[in-house]
Amino acid sequence: PSSYSVGTMSERFDCHYCRDSLQGKKYVQKEGRHCCVKCFEKICANTCIECKKPIGADSKELHFKNRYWHDSCFRCFKCHMSLVNEPFMLRENNKVWCSNCTATEDAPRCKGCFKPIIAGDQNVEYKKMVWHKDCFTCSQCKKVIGSGSFFPKGDEFYCVSCHEHKFAKTCAKCKNDLEEEPVWLTTKMNPGMITVSNAQSVPV
Ligand SMILES: [Zn+2]
Ligand SMILES: [Zn+2]
Ligand SMILES: [Zn+2]
Ligand SMILES: [Zn+2]
Ligand SMILES: [Zn+2]
Ligand SMILES: [Zn+2]
């Protein structure tokens, strides 16, 4: 219902609304009616969901799921990059987001550096917590544990050798170390799938 065409009138038509002659002037044809550019803007034009202004016959209009934008208003809510001909996500409050900002926003946060773990990052998971592989470090020597074995002690994690120095208990009787089983981590790739779709501009 939103499609319309713009042209220069060669016949003797009057504006459907204000009755001004359209001959030799730019006019808009919409739903079988001819009207002047002014009336189009006042009466027929779609309203841009971003700036709330009418999208006049001279502007390029984008529409997606019954929402309309000036092409200049169709920008990522976060980074303000133009999303014309770019993949985007329509999110809450009718804001559009670029795929980068969407992936960053929705990504789980690393327990070590508190930055998002985005698609393609190697990460480790332990008891529903996640780290970048390189952020999962020994509390004592700060070496990267990565996907190796470690000993959890409360909120701290120790590599095998630090654990040996710090915590290994010796049997009072035979003086041999009491073995404690380390925990193993496996690394995996964050698939980070998002769905994007493309805006289409109205044929003008
Ligand atoms: Zn008019
Ligand atoms: Zn706008
Ligand atoms: Zn963005
Ligand atoms: Zn991290
Ligand atoms: Zn260590
Ligand atoms: Zn013993």
Side-chain angles (χ1 to χ4, degrees), residues 15 18 36 39:
C15 172
C18 68
C36 70
C39 288

Side-chain angles (χ1 to χ4, degrees), residues 4-7 26-30 33-37 40 57:
Y4 56 85
S5 60
V6 183
K26 197 171 174 186
Y27 77 105
V28 184
Q29 181 174 356
K30 190 182 174 183
R33 290 166 179 179
H34 305 87
C35 68
C36 70
V37 170
F40 175 79

Side-chain angles (χ1 to χ4, degrees), residues 48-53 55 69-70 72-73:
C48 172
I49 202 157
E50 183 58 37
C51 69
K52 319 288 185 221
K53 292 186 184 126
I55 304 168
W69 292 264
H70 294 104
S72 56
C73 292

Side-chain angles (χ1 to χ4, degrees), residues 21 26 28 45 62 84 107 126 141 201:
S21 168
K26 197 171 174 186
V28 184
L62 295 166
V84 178
Y126 176 69
C141 68
S201 57

Side-chain angles (χ1 to χ4, degrees), residues 76-81 83 96-102:
C76 172
F77 174 63
K78 276 260 145 158
C79 69
H80 308 294
M81 175 179 95
L83 292 176
V96 284
W97 292 55
C98 74
S99 47
N100 263 344
C101 292
T102 306

Side-chain angles (χ1 to χ4, degrees), residues 124-141:
V124 292
E125 241 184 275
Y126 176 69
K127 289 193 173 170
K128 290 185 177 154
M129 297 178 281
V130 278
W131 293 260
H132 294 107
K133 185 167 171 275
D134 291 343
C135 293
F136 191 67
T137 54
C138 171
S139 296
Q140 180 80 13
C141 68

